[in-house]
Amino acid sequence: MTDLARALLMLGLLAGAACCDSASAAKPESVMELLGKGDQARKEMKNSLALDYFNRAARLYAASADVYNARADLYKELGDFDKAIADQEQACRLAPGCVPYLEKRAALYCLCGRLEEGFKACDALIAHEKPATDSVYRMRAVSLKKLKRYQDAGKAFAVAAEAHKKSRDYHMNLYDAGDMYLLTGKAELALGYFERVIKSCPDLSTGYWGRAKALEKLGRQSEAEKDREKAKHLDLSY
């Protein structure tokens, strides 16, 4: 090989290496790299920088549900619930059936006061995942209560209690079911739920206060007074 040929070959190799380096430098960051940088910026309270990373990820990886889920979390922190919901909806569309995304969507609707959409989102989640988490059942019931749909709320609290009997909210769901039935004039039904609260947590005053209200509605005044005295005693000794 002549000196000229060797020189040309070397130039070709160098040019090829330069092209590879240039291509490598121009290669966009992966979705995980961008999300990781965005999360780190959030931890450092650099929300504008975090949003820049998430926006860049959305432009480059528009089919990634994780991108919209991450940006929804940031928008929620910033108090921009409309954008948070829009991103969470997109995440749910891109990853249909993803339970954590569905739970976040329901929670966002309830948190920002869009209660009709909130309990419907809970219904969709419950239909998809049986049983859903105790928080989803309770969130649905609370939404119905806030909408003043007391009879539906009573049923929802009762379902929440039955679905998760070992939940820390078990006795609260029973009490709220009784309370909702009292509001709809079903004192006898309410009484049963308050008695279950007492059976579940006999050392808490909650059940006795509730049962006293139900007994009073039923005209059983002396029994109601005994329950009130019991509740007062428990409150004082708590």
Side-chain angles (χ1 to χ4, degrees):
M1 183 180 290
T2 66
D3 290 342
L4 178 60
R6 287 194 186 91
L8 289 173
L9 178 60
M10 184 59 67
L11 285 172
L13 291 172
L14 290 172
C19 288
C20 289
D21 288 343
S22 175
S24 176
K27 183 180 178 182
E29 295 165 288
S30 72
V31 64
M32 295 309 297
E33 287 173 328
L34 288 170
L35 291 181
K37 289 179 179 180
D39 285 337
Q40 185 59 40
R42 277 179 65 191
K43 290 175 184 176
E44 296 172 1
M45 305 299 289
K46 298 175 181 177
N47 290 328
S48 294
L49 180 60
L51 187 57
D52 285 342
Y53 281 122
F54 293 149
N55 286 341
R56 195 186 313 169
R59 287 193 297 271
L60 292 172
Y61 304 100
S64 170
D66 290 340
V67 170
Y68 295 97
N69 178 64
R71 193 168 65 177
D73 284 343
L74 178 58
Y75 280 136
K76 176 188 171 185
E77 284 184 12
L78 296 173
D80 196 337
F81 291 109
D82 287 339
K83 288 183 179 179
I85 287 172
D87 270 0
Q88 201 63 54
E89 286 282 11
Q90 181 65 359
C92 290
R93 281 191 288 271
L94 290 170
C98 178
V99 171
Y101 291 176
L102 291 170
E103 286 186 353
K104 282 186 179 181
R105 180 180 68 173
L108 277 169
Y109 277 126
C110 294
L111 183 63
C112 70
R114 291 167 63 173
L115 300 173
E116 288 281 357
E117 292 158 295
F119 89 81
K120 287 177 182 176
C122 289
D123 279 345
L125 184 54
I126 290 168
H128 175 76
E129 186 195 25
K130 295 183 178 179
T133 61
D134 54 341
S135 61
V136 170
Y137 280 102
R138 183 162 179 82
M139 185 162 49
R140 179 181 185 275
V142 169
S143 295
L144 289 166
K145 177 183 176 181
K146 288 180 178 178
L147 288 166
K148 298 184 179 180
R149 292 173 53 180
Y150 298 129
Q151 185 162 325
D152 290 335
K155 292 177 183 177
F157 281 120
V159 168
E162 294 303 321
H164 292 278
K165 292 184 178 180
K166 294 184 179 180
S167 165
R168 64 179 182 178
D169 292 329
Y170 175 64
H171 74 278
M172 291 176 60
N173 287 327
L174 289 174
Y175 179 88
D176 286 333
D179 208 32
M180 294 300 97
Y181 284 127
L182 265 186
L183 287 173
T184 58
K186 297 180 178 179
E188 196 70 54
L189 185 57
L191 180 63
Y193 281 100
F194 293 134
E195 286 179 342
R196 288 176 65 184
V197 175
I198 293 169
K199 184 177 179 180
S200 172
C201 302
D203 296 327
L204 290 180
S205 65
T206 310
Y208 297 98
W209 284 119
R211 190 168 69 177
K213 290 190 294 183
L215 289 168
E216 195 164 42
K217 290 282 186 182
L218 293 167
R220 295 159 62 177
Q221 301 297 339
S222 60
E223 293 173 82
E225 186 57 34
K226 287 180 182 178
D227 269 357
R228 279 192 288 269
E229 289 301 317
K230 176 70 172 178
K232 289 175 186 176
H233 173 74
L234 288 171
D235 284 341
L236 289 172
S237 60
Y238 182 69

